[in-house]
Amino acid sequence: MSTIRSDFPILNQQVHGKPLVYLDSAATSQKPQQVIEALARYYRQDNANVHRGIHALAERATAEYEQARLKVARFINAASSKEIVFVRNATEAINLVANAWGRANLRPGDEVLITQMEHHANIVPWQLVTQATGATLRYAPVTDAGELDYDALDSLLTGRTKVFAFTAMSNVLGTINPVAELTAKAHAVGAIAVVDGAQSVPHLPTDVQALDVDFLAISSHKMLGPTGVGALYGKRALLDAMPPFMGGGEMIREVFMDHSTWEDAPLKFEAGTPAIGEAIAFGAAVDYLDALGMDWVHQHEMEITHYAWQRLSAIEGLRIIGPGPERRGGLLAFTLADVHPHDVAAVLDMQGVAVRAGHHCAQPIHDRYGIPATTRASFYIYNTPEEVDVLAAALERARELFSF
Ligand code: PMP
Protein backbone atom coordinates (compact mmCIF):
# COMPACT_ATOMS: atom_id res chain seq x y z
CA MET A 1 0.00 0.00 0.00
CA SER A 2 2.80 2.44 0.82
CA THR A 3 4.28 1.82 -2.64
CA ILE A 4 0.93 2.53 -4.27
CA ARG A 5 0.49 5.72 -2.24
CA SER A 6 3.97 6.91 -3.09
CA ASP A 7 3.00 6.77 -6.79
CA PHE A 8 0.36 9.45 -6.12
CA PRO A 9 2.18 12.67 -5.22
CA ILE A 10 -1.08 14.58 -4.71
CA LEU A 11 -2.04 12.42 -1.73
CA ASN A 12 0.95 13.63 0.23
CA GLN A 13 -0.39 17.03 1.30
CA GLN A 14 -2.25 18.75 4.09
CA VAL A 15 -5.65 20.38 3.73
CA HIS A 16 -6.72 22.87 6.43
CA GLY A 17 -3.71 21.69 8.42
CA LYS A 18 -4.78 18.01 8.30
CA PRO A 19 -3.45 15.18 6.11
CA LEU A 20 -5.57 14.89 2.97
CA VAL A 21 -7.96 11.90 2.98
CA TYR A 22 -9.25 11.70 -0.59
CA LEU A 23 -12.58 9.87 -0.69
CA ASP A 24 -13.99 11.29 -3.92
CA SER A 25 -12.66 8.88 -6.55
CA ALA A 26 -16.14 8.17 -7.92
CA ALA A 27 -16.12 11.80 -9.11
CA THR A 28 -12.58 11.58 -10.41
CA SER A 29 -9.61 9.44 -9.40
CA GLN A 30 -6.14 10.72 -8.63
CA LYS A 31 -3.34 10.06 -11.15
CA PRO A 32 -0.15 8.12 -10.49
CA GLN A 33 3.26 9.50 -11.39
CA GLN A 34 3.42 7.04 -14.32
CA VAL A 35 0.35 8.65 -15.94
CA ILE A 36 1.50 12.21 -15.30
CA GLU A 37 4.88 11.30 -16.78
CA ALA A 38 3.35 9.65 -19.87
CA LEU A 39 1.41 12.86 -20.58
CA ALA A 40 4.46 15.06 -19.99
CA ARG A 41 6.72 12.79 -22.06
CA TYR A 42 4.35 12.96 -25.01
CA TYR A 43 4.40 16.77 -24.97
CA ARG A 44 8.15 16.86 -24.31
CA GLN A 45 9.22 14.40 -27.02
CA ASP A 46 6.53 13.26 -29.41
CA ASN A 47 3.90 15.97 -29.85
CA ALA A 48 2.50 15.88 -33.41
CA ASN A 49 -0.88 15.34 -35.03
CA VAL A 50 -1.91 11.74 -35.65
CA HIS A 51 -2.75 9.72 -38.76
CA ARG A 52 -1.77 12.33 -41.38
CA GLY A 53 1.88 13.15 -40.88
CA ILE A 54 4.78 11.69 -42.81
CA HIS A 55 7.48 12.79 -40.40
CA ALA A 56 9.05 10.93 -37.49
CA LEU A 57 7.16 12.71 -34.71
CA ALA A 58 3.79 12.19 -36.42
CA GLU A 59 4.57 8.51 -36.89
CA ARG A 60 5.58 8.16 -33.25
CA ALA A 61 2.49 10.00 -31.98
CA THR A 62 0.26 7.84 -34.21
CA ALA A 63 1.91 4.61 -33.08
CA GLU A 64 1.54 5.55 -29.39
CA TYR A 65 -2.07 6.68 -29.85
CA GLU A 66 -2.95 3.40 -31.59
CA GLN A 67 -1.03 1.45 -28.96
CA ALA A 68 -3.20 3.09 -26.28
CA ARG A 69 -6.29 1.96 -28.19
CA LEU A 70 -4.93 -1.59 -28.16
CA LYS A 71 -4.29 -1.40 -24.40
CA VAL A 72 -7.88 -0.32 -23.74
CA ALA A 73 -9.16 -3.10 -26.03
CA ARG A 74 -7.13 -5.75 -24.19
CA PHE A 75 -8.13 -4.36 -20.79
CA ILE A 76 -11.81 -5.11 -21.48
CA ASN A 77 -11.06 -8.12 -23.72
CA ALA A 78 -12.50 -6.58 -26.90
CA ALA A 79 -12.05 -8.78 -29.97
CA SER A 80 -10.18 -5.99 -31.80
CA SER A 81 -8.86 -2.49 -31.18
CA LYS A 82 -11.15 -1.41 -34.05
CA GLU A 83 -13.97 -1.77 -31.53
CA ILE A 84 -12.58 1.06 -29.37
CA VAL A 85 -13.55 4.64 -30.25
CA PHE A 86 -11.75 7.39 -28.35
CA VAL A 87 -14.18 10.02 -27.11
CA ARG A 88 -14.02 12.82 -24.52
CA ASN A 89 -15.64 10.94 -21.62
CA ALA A 90 -18.32 8.37 -20.77
CA THR A 91 -20.98 11.01 -21.39
CA GLU A 92 -19.83 11.49 -24.98
CA ALA A 93 -19.68 7.71 -25.49
CA ILE A 94 -23.39 7.39 -24.61
CA ASN A 95 -24.32 10.45 -26.68
CA LEU A 96 -22.51 8.89 -29.63
CA VAL A 97 -24.60 5.71 -29.41
CA ALA A 98 -27.86 7.59 -28.79
CA ASN A 99 -27.25 9.83 -31.80
CA ALA A 100 -25.53 7.56 -34.30
CA TRP A 101 -27.33 4.28 -33.55
CA GLY A 102 -30.49 5.81 -32.11
CA ARG A 103 -31.32 8.24 -34.90
CA ALA A 104 -30.72 5.56 -37.54
CA ASN A 105 -32.76 2.86 -35.81
CA LEU A 106 -35.47 4.34 -33.57
CA ARG A 107 -38.99 4.99 -34.87
CA PRO A 108 -42.30 6.04 -33.29
CA GLY A 109 -43.64 3.05 -31.32
CA ASP A 110 -40.15 1.84 -30.39
CA GLU A 111 -39.05 1.96 -26.76
CA VAL A 112 -35.79 2.77 -25.02
CA LEU A 113 -35.60 1.27 -21.54
CA ILE A 114 -33.27 2.74 -18.92
CA THR A 115 -33.31 2.38 -15.14
CA GLN A 116 -34.19 4.64 -12.26
CA MET A 117 -30.61 4.42 -10.94
CA GLU A 118 -28.93 6.03 -13.97
CA HIS A 119 -26.51 8.94 -13.96
CA HIS A 120 -27.81 11.90 -15.99
CA ALA A 121 -25.28 10.85 -18.68
CA ASN A 122 -27.41 7.76 -19.32
CA ILE A 123 -30.75 9.60 -19.09
CA VAL A 124 -30.54 12.89 -20.95
CA PRO A 125 -29.11 11.55 -24.27
CA TRP A 126 -32.02 9.07 -24.39
CA GLN A 127 -34.55 11.81 -23.58
CA LEU A 128 -33.17 13.84 -26.49
CA VAL A 129 -33.10 10.99 -28.99
CA THR A 130 -36.54 9.63 -28.09
CA GLN A 131 -37.97 13.16 -28.41
CA ALA A 132 -36.29 13.54 -31.80
CA THR A 133 -37.39 10.16 -33.19
CA GLY A 134 -40.84 9.75 -31.60
CA ALA A 135 -39.73 6.68 -29.65
CA THR A 136 -40.79 6.28 -25.99
CA LEU A 137 -38.49 6.35 -22.96
CA ARG A 138 -39.28 3.95 -20.11
CA TYR A 139 -37.70 3.43 -16.70
CA ALA A 140 -37.11 0.15 -14.90
CA PRO A 141 -37.82 0.81 -11.20
CA VAL A 142 -35.50 0.20 -8.26
CA THR A 143 -36.53 -1.54 -5.00
CA ASP A 144 -36.34 -0.02 -1.50
CA ALA A 145 -33.16 -2.06 -1.04
CA GLY A 146 -31.48 -0.36 -4.02
CA GLU A 147 -31.64 -3.23 -6.51
CA LEU A 148 -33.37 -3.35 -9.87
CA ASP A 149 -36.93 -4.62 -9.56
CA TYR A 150 -36.59 -7.72 -11.73
CA ASP A 151 -40.31 -8.52 -11.98
CA ALA A 152 -41.04 -5.02 -13.24
CA LEU A 153 -38.02 -5.19 -15.55
CA ASP A 154 -39.24 -8.41 -17.15
CA SER A 155 -42.60 -6.87 -17.92
CA LEU A 156 -41.00 -3.69 -19.34
CA LEU A 157 -38.73 -5.58 -21.74
CA THR A 158 -40.94 -6.36 -24.75
CA GLY A 159 -40.75 -6.69 -28.51
CA ARG A 160 -41.04 -2.88 -28.63
CA THR A 161 -37.80 -2.40 -26.70
CA LYS A 162 -34.98 -1.51 -29.07
CA VAL A 163 -32.41 -0.36 -26.51
CA PHE A 164 -31.84 -1.38 -22.90
CA ALA A 165 -29.32 1.08 -21.42
CA PHE A 166 -28.19 0.53 -17.84
CA THR A 167 -25.33 1.22 -15.52
CA ALA A 168 -23.00 -1.60 -14.52
CA MET A 169 -22.55 0.11 -11.16
CA SER A 170 -24.59 2.93 -9.65
CA ASN A 171 -22.62 6.00 -8.60
CA VAL A 172 -25.12 6.65 -5.78
CA LEU A 173 -26.37 3.28 -4.52
CA GLY A 174 -23.11 1.47 -5.25
CA THR A 175 -25.23 -1.41 -6.63
CA ILE A 176 -23.34 -3.72 -8.98
CA ASN A 177 -25.77 -4.86 -11.65
CA PRO A 178 -25.48 -8.33 -13.24
CA VAL A 179 -24.40 -7.12 -16.69
CA ALA A 180 -24.35 -10.51 -18.46
CA GLU A 181 -27.82 -11.39 -17.19
CA LEU A 182 -29.28 -7.99 -18.11
CA THR A 183 -27.67 -8.12 -21.54
CA ALA A 184 -29.14 -11.57 -22.16
CA LYS A 185 -32.58 -10.22 -21.20
CA ALA A 186 -32.16 -7.37 -23.70
CA HIS A 187 -31.07 -9.73 -26.46
CA ALA A 188 -33.97 -12.10 -25.74
CA VAL A 189 -36.41 -9.36 -26.89
CA GLY A 190 -34.19 -8.23 -29.78
CA ALA A 191 -32.87 -5.08 -28.07
CA ILE A 192 -29.28 -3.90 -27.91
CA ALA A 193 -27.57 -3.56 -24.49
CA VAL A 194 -25.83 -0.23 -23.89
CA VAL A 195 -23.83 -0.33 -20.67
CA ASP A 196 -22.58 2.64 -18.68
CA GLY A 197 -19.25 1.36 -17.39
CA ALA A 198 -18.04 4.69 -15.93
CA GLN A 199 -18.08 3.28 -12.38
CA SER A 200 -17.48 -0.41 -13.08
CA VAL A 201 -14.54 -0.54 -15.50
CA PRO A 202 -12.17 1.25 -13.05
CA HIS A 203 -13.06 -1.17 -10.24
CA LEU A 204 -14.02 -4.61 -11.57
CA PRO A 205 -12.54 -7.01 -14.13
CA THR A 206 -14.43 -6.47 -17.41
CA ASP A 207 -14.71 -8.91 -20.31
CA VAL A 208 -16.97 -7.49 -23.02
CA GLN A 209 -16.98 -10.73 -25.00
CA ALA A 210 -18.08 -12.81 -22.01
CA LEU A 211 -20.67 -10.18 -21.05
CA ASP A 212 -21.80 -9.94 -24.70
CA VAL A 213 -22.63 -6.21 -24.32
CA ASP A 214 -23.21 -4.26 -27.52
CA PHE A 215 -21.82 -0.94 -26.31
CA LEU A 216 -19.85 0.03 -23.21
CA ALA A 217 -19.06 3.60 -22.11
CA ILE A 218 -15.70 4.10 -20.36
CA SER A 219 -14.24 7.12 -18.63
CA SER A 220 -10.45 7.55 -18.34
CA HIS A 221 -10.47 10.09 -15.53
CA LYS A 222 -12.17 7.70 -13.10
CA MET A 223 -9.54 4.99 -13.71
CA LEU A 224 -6.30 6.87 -13.00
CA GLY A 225 -6.14 8.47 -16.46
CA PRO A 226 -6.44 12.10 -17.55
CA THR A 227 -9.65 14.04 -18.09
CA GLY A 228 -10.67 14.83 -21.67
CA VAL A 229 -10.57 11.25 -22.92
CA GLY A 230 -12.75 8.17 -22.62
CA ALA A 231 -13.70 5.25 -24.79
CA LEU A 232 -16.72 3.71 -26.40
CA TYR A 233 -16.55 -0.03 -26.94
CA GLY A 234 -18.92 -1.18 -29.69
CA LYS A 235 -19.33 -4.52 -31.44
CA ARG A 236 -17.67 -4.26 -34.81
CA ALA A 237 -20.76 -5.05 -36.88
CA LEU A 238 -22.77 -2.38 -35.05
CA LEU A 239 -20.06 0.27 -35.43
CA ASP A 240 -19.67 -0.57 -39.11
CA ALA A 241 -23.39 -0.21 -39.74
CA MET A 242 -23.72 3.09 -37.85
CA PRO A 243 -23.57 6.51 -39.53
CA PRO A 244 -21.08 9.00 -38.07
CA PHE A 245 -22.04 11.21 -35.13
CA MET A 246 -19.82 14.22 -35.91
CA GLY A 247 -18.30 15.26 -39.22
CA GLY A 248 -14.98 16.85 -40.08
CA GLY A 249 -11.36 15.94 -40.64
CA GLU A 250 -9.88 12.54 -39.68
CA MET A 251 -13.21 10.71 -40.07
CA ILE A 252 -13.53 11.03 -43.86
CA ARG A 253 -12.11 9.04 -46.73
CA GLU A 254 -13.05 11.47 -49.52
CA VAL A 255 -14.88 14.78 -49.54
CA PHE A 256 -16.70 16.11 -52.61
CA MET A 257 -18.69 19.29 -52.92
CA ASP A 258 -22.00 17.52 -52.37
CA HIS A 259 -21.14 14.46 -50.28
CA SER A 260 -18.38 12.58 -48.46
CA THR A 261 -17.35 9.02 -47.72
CA TRP A 262 -16.19 7.75 -44.33
CA GLU A 263 -13.22 6.04 -42.85
CA ASP A 264 -13.93 2.64 -41.29
CA ALA A 265 -14.68 2.46 -37.56
CA PRO A 266 -13.24 3.56 -35.21
CA LEU A 267 -11.86 6.59 -37.13
CA LYS A 268 -15.32 7.24 -38.61
CA PHE A 269 -16.32 8.39 -35.11
CA GLU A 270 -13.23 10.43 -34.30
CA ALA A 271 -13.77 13.72 -36.13
CA GLY A 272 -11.10 16.36 -35.62
CA THR A 273 -7.83 16.17 -33.69
CA PRO A 274 -8.31 13.83 -30.73
CA ALA A 275 -6.91 14.21 -27.20
CA ILE A 276 -3.67 12.50 -28.26
CA GLY A 277 -1.51 12.92 -25.18
CA GLU A 278 -4.45 12.16 -22.92
CA ALA A 279 -5.23 8.95 -24.81
CA ILE A 280 -1.59 7.87 -24.52
CA ALA A 281 -1.62 8.61 -20.79
CA PHE A 282 -4.94 6.71 -20.54
CA GLY A 283 -2.94 3.77 -21.91
CA ALA A 284 -0.42 4.28 -19.09
CA ALA A 285 -3.30 4.20 -16.57
CA VAL A 286 -4.44 0.89 -18.04
CA ASP A 287 -0.87 -0.43 -17.68
CA TYR A 288 -0.89 0.61 -14.02
CA LEU A 289 -4.19 -1.16 -13.29
CA ASP A 290 -3.06 -4.21 -15.27
CA ALA A 291 0.07 -4.46 -13.16
CA LEU A 292 -2.01 -4.40 -9.97
CA GLY A 293 -4.53 -6.85 -11.43
CA MET A 294 -8.24 -6.02 -11.45
CA ASP A 295 -9.00 -8.91 -9.09
CA TRP A 296 -6.73 -7.29 -6.53
CA VAL A 297 -8.35 -3.88 -7.13
CA HIS A 298 -11.81 -5.33 -6.56
CA GLN A 299 -10.72 -7.29 -3.49
CA HIS A 300 -9.05 -4.25 -1.94
CA GLU A 301 -12.16 -2.13 -2.44
CA MET A 302 -14.43 -4.84 -1.04
CA GLU A 303 -12.34 -4.91 2.14
CA ILE A 304 -12.37 -1.13 2.55
CA THR A 305 -16.09 -0.96 1.78
CA HIS A 306 -16.97 -3.69 4.30
CA TYR A 307 -14.95 -1.90 6.94
CA ALA A 308 -16.45 1.51 6.07
CA TRP A 309 -19.93 0.03 6.13
CA GLN A 310 -19.33 -1.35 9.61
CA ARG A 311 -17.84 1.91 10.94
CA LEU A 312 -20.41 4.24 9.36
CA SER A 313 -23.49 2.21 10.22
CA ALA A 314 -22.49 2.45 13.88
CA ILE A 315 -22.86 6.26 13.74
CA GLU A 316 -26.12 7.47 15.24
CA GLY A 317 -28.43 9.12 12.73
CA LEU A 318 -26.42 7.96 9.70
CA ARG A 319 -28.37 6.15 6.99
CA ILE A 320 -26.59 4.52 4.06
CA ILE A 321 -28.68 4.15 0.90
CA GLY A 322 -28.38 1.13 -1.38
CA PRO A 323 -27.62 -2.55 -0.86
CA GLY A 324 -25.36 -4.20 1.73
CA PRO A 325 -21.59 -4.23 1.34
CA GLU A 326 -21.47 -7.63 -0.36
CA ARG A 327 -23.57 -6.40 -3.29
CA ARG A 328 -21.98 -3.02 -3.89
CA GLY A 329 -18.82 -1.43 -5.22
CA GLY A 330 -16.48 0.90 -3.35
CA LEU A 331 -18.74 3.77 -2.39
CA LEU A 332 -21.22 4.71 0.33
CA ALA A 333 -23.79 7.50 -0.05
CA PHE A 334 -25.59 8.46 3.14
CA THR A 335 -27.64 11.00 5.02
CA LEU A 336 -26.76 12.19 8.54
CA ALA A 337 -30.00 12.91 10.41
CA ASP A 338 -31.42 16.00 8.72
CA VAL A 339 -28.11 17.84 8.33
CA HIS A 340 -27.69 19.14 4.80
CA PRO A 341 -25.08 17.04 2.93
CA HIS A 342 -23.22 20.22 1.93
CA ASP A 343 -22.80 21.05 5.62
CA VAL A 344 -21.59 17.51 6.35
CA ALA A 345 -19.07 17.75 3.49
CA ALA A 346 -17.88 21.17 4.69
CA VAL A 347 -17.24 19.84 8.21
CA LEU A 348 -15.38 16.84 6.76
CA ASP A 349 -13.32 19.12 4.54
CA MET A 350 -12.15 21.01 7.63
CA GLN A 351 -10.78 17.65 8.89
CA GLY A 352 -8.97 17.10 5.59
CA VAL A 353 -11.55 14.59 4.30
CA ALA A 354 -12.67 15.11 0.69
CA VAL A 355 -16.14 13.68 -0.05
CA ARG A 356 -18.90 14.68 -2.44
CA ALA A 357 -22.30 16.08 -1.50
CA GLY A 358 -25.32 16.69 -3.68
CA HIS A 359 -27.38 14.65 -6.11
CA HIS A 360 -24.26 13.25 -7.85
CA CYS A 361 -25.83 13.86 -11.29
CA ALA A 362 -28.51 11.30 -10.47
CA GLN A 363 -31.65 13.17 -9.45
CA PRO A 364 -34.25 10.47 -10.29
CA ILE A 365 -32.73 7.96 -7.84
CA HIS A 366 -32.67 10.56 -5.06
CA ASP A 367 -36.32 11.36 -5.84
CA ARG A 368 -37.03 7.62 -5.59
CA TYR A 369 -35.90 7.70 -1.96
CA GLY A 370 -37.48 11.08 -1.23
CA ILE A 371 -34.17 12.79 -0.45
CA PRO A 372 -32.76 15.75 -2.34
CA ALA A 373 -29.11 14.92 -1.75
CA THR A 374 -26.60 12.64 -0.04
CA THR A 375 -22.99 12.74 1.11
CA ARG A 376 -20.83 10.18 -0.71
CA ALA A 377 -17.50 8.65 0.29
CA SER A 378 -15.87 6.63 -2.49
CA PHE A 379 -12.76 4.47 -2.37
CA TYR A 380 -10.01 3.40 -4.70
CA ILE A 381 -6.71 1.55 -4.78
CA TYR A 382 -4.87 4.13 -2.63
CA ASN A 383 -7.33 4.27 0.29
CA THR A 384 -6.62 2.61 3.61
CA PRO A 385 -8.66 1.43 6.64
CA GLU A 386 -6.96 4.20 8.65
CA GLU A 387 -8.55 6.75 6.30
CA VAL A 388 -11.93 5.18 7.01
CA ASP A 389 -11.20 5.74 10.72
CA VAL A 390 -10.51 9.42 10.00
CA LEU A 391 -13.80 9.63 8.07
CA ALA A 392 -15.74 8.01 10.94
CA ALA A 393 -14.14 10.35 13.52
CA ALA A 394 -14.90 13.38 11.31
CA LEU A 395 -18.54 12.28 11.05
CA GLU A 396 -18.75 11.95 14.84
CA ARG A 397 -17.39 15.50 15.00
CA ALA A 398 -20.13 16.64 12.59
CA ARG A 399 -22.72 14.98 14.85
CA GLU A 400 -21.40 16.93 17.84
CA LEU A 401 -21.35 20.20 15.91
CA PHE A 402 -24.92 19.80 14.73
CA SER A 403 -25.77 18.49 18.22
CA PHE A 404 -27.95 15.47 17.76
N1 PMP B 1 -22.03 7.39 -15.50
C1 PMP B 1 -21.77 7.25 -14.20
C2 PMP B 1 -22.40 6.11 -13.44
C3 PMP B 1 -20.92 8.17 -13.57
O1 PMP B 1 -20.67 8.04 -12.26
C4 PMP B 1 -20.35 9.21 -14.32
C5 PMP B 1 -19.43 10.23 -13.69
N2 PMP B 1 -19.91 10.83 -12.54
C6 PMP B 1 -20.66 9.30 -15.67
C7 PMP B 1 -21.49 8.38 -16.24
C8 PMP B 1 -20.09 10.38 -16.55
O2 PMP B 1 -18.75 10.12 -16.79
P1 PMP B 1 -17.82 11.19 -17.52
O3 PMP B 1 -17.38 12.14 -16.46
O4 PMP B 1 -16.67 10.37 -18.03
O5 PMP B 1 -18.61 11.81 -18.59
Side-chain angles (χ1 to χ4, degrees):
M1 179 48 63
S2 64
T3 42
I4 292 182
R5 287 187 70 88
S6 64
D7 285 336
F8 291 81
I10 202 168
L11 297 177
N12 185 22
Q13 64 173 290
Q14 303 227 321
V15 168
H16 305 304
K18 304 274 168 51
L20 169 65
V21 173
Y22 186 77
L23 301 179
D24 196 18
S25 294
T28 198
S29 70
Q30 297 302 349
K31 324 300 173 198
Q33 196 57 54
Q34 291 84 336
V35 167
I36 300 168
E37 182 48 32
L39 187 60
R41 190 175 49 235
Y42 165 74
Y43 283 115
R44 228 173 17 235
Q45 299 175 3
D46 304 326
N47 177 47
N49 213 329
V50 286
H51 297 138
R52 288 179 291 242
I54 316 191
H55 56 82
L57 264 56
E59 278 169 16
R60 235 152 53 205
T62 304
E64 286 178 50
Y65 180 74
E66 290 304 322
Q67 184 63 24
R69 196 192 302 278
L70 192 59
K71 288 178 185 178
V72 175
R74 287 199 184 125
F75 188 69
I76 58 167
N77 196 31
S80 153
S81 64
K82 293 194 167 21
E83 296 183 318
I84 303 297
V85 181
F86 280 129
V87 289
R88 269 191 313 138
N89 44 38
T91 303
E92 189 174 294
I94 297 167
N95 274 275
L96 197 166
V97 179
N99 281 279
W101 192 93
R103 284 172 189 264
N105 290 286
L106 293 173
R107 307 269 172 277
D110 290 343
E111 292 180 1
V112 172
L113 180 64
I114 62 174
T115 86
Q116 225 178 356
M117 65 167 86
E118 298 311 311
H119 185 280
H120 297 162
N122 204 23
I123 299 176
V124 185
W126 300 114
Q127 288 176 339
L128 293 171
V129 76
T130 49
Q131 280 157 15
T133 58
T136 304
L137 183 60
R138 298 214 180 279
Y139 287 80
V142 170
T143 64
D144 289 346
E147 305 271 357
L148 285 174
D149 177 337
Y150 287 92
D151 290 338
L153 176 65
D154 286 341
S155 62
L156 281 160
L157 276 166
T158 70
R160 286 188 299 277
T161 316
K162 294 292 175 291
V163 177
F164 180 26
F166 56 92
T167 188
M169 177 181 146
S170 160
N171 65 316
V172 176
L173 304 171
T175 314
I176 296 177
N177 285 319
V179 175
E181 193 186 312
L182 296 177
T183 299
K185 282 181 188 289
H187 290 167
V189 296
I192 59 162
V194 180
V195 180
D196 177 356
Q199 294 293 346
S200 67
V201 176
H203 305 284
L204 306 166
T206 305
D207 179 338
V208 287
Q209 294 188 72
L211 297 170
D212 200 25
V213 300
D214 298 295
F215 294 102
L216 176 72
I218 304 172
S219 173
S220 149
H221 73 92
K222 293 187 201 284
M223 50 188 286
L224 311 179
T227 53
V229 68
L232 171 69
Y233 160 80
K235 278 186 185 159
R236 182 84 185 268
L238 288 169
L239 290 178
D240 284 347
M242 265 156 62
F245 171 33
M246 287 192 276
E250 298 262 334
M251 51 76 71
I252 48 82
R253 189 163 287 158
E254 284 186 292
V255 177
F256 306 96
M257 298 279 271
D258 58 349
H259 78 286
S260 304
T261 58
W262 321 132
E263 279 284 5
D264 290 336
L267 295 188
K268 177 170 64 174
F269 301 107
E270 294 181 10
T273 302
I276 305 166
E278 287 74 6
I280 293 168
F282 180 18
V286 166
D287 287 341
Y288 193 94
L289 288 171
D290 262 337
L292 289 176
M294 290 309 290
D295 286 326
W296 182 89
V297 171
H298 181 48
Q299 187 56 35
H300 173 73
E301 287 175 26
M302 291 281 284
E303 283 164 22
I304 298 271
T305 307
H306 269 80
Y307 182 58
W309 176 279
Q310 194 190 319
R311 291 296 316 262
L312 266 56
S313 26
I315 295 171
E316 207 185 308
L318 191 148
R319 179 180 152 229
I320 298 169
I321 62 165
E326 62 293 332
R327 295 183 58 82
R328 66 161 64 224
L331 64 86
L332 298 173
F334 55 86
T335 52
L336 189 63
D338 55 3
V339 183
H340 195 286
H342 285 158
D343 294 334
V344 176
V347 172
L348 296 190
D349 181 49
M350 290 314 291
Q351 325 279 314
V353 181
V355 294
R356 183 140 292 236
H359 55 57
H360 318 296
C361 297
Q363 282 186 312
I365 194 63
H366 282 85
D367 292 345
R368 161 70 179 80
Y369 293 104
I371 41 178
T374 48
T375 308
R376 181 185 71 191
S378 54
F379 312 110
Y380 209 11
I381 53 170
Y382 32 69
N383 292 121
T384 64
E386 292 73 29
E387 290 183 311
V388 171
D389 292 338
V390 177
L391 168 67
L395 284 166
E396 289 291 2
R397 176 92 190 103
R399 231 171 53 79
E400 279 165 29
L401 278 172
F402 295 105
S403 52
F404 67 89

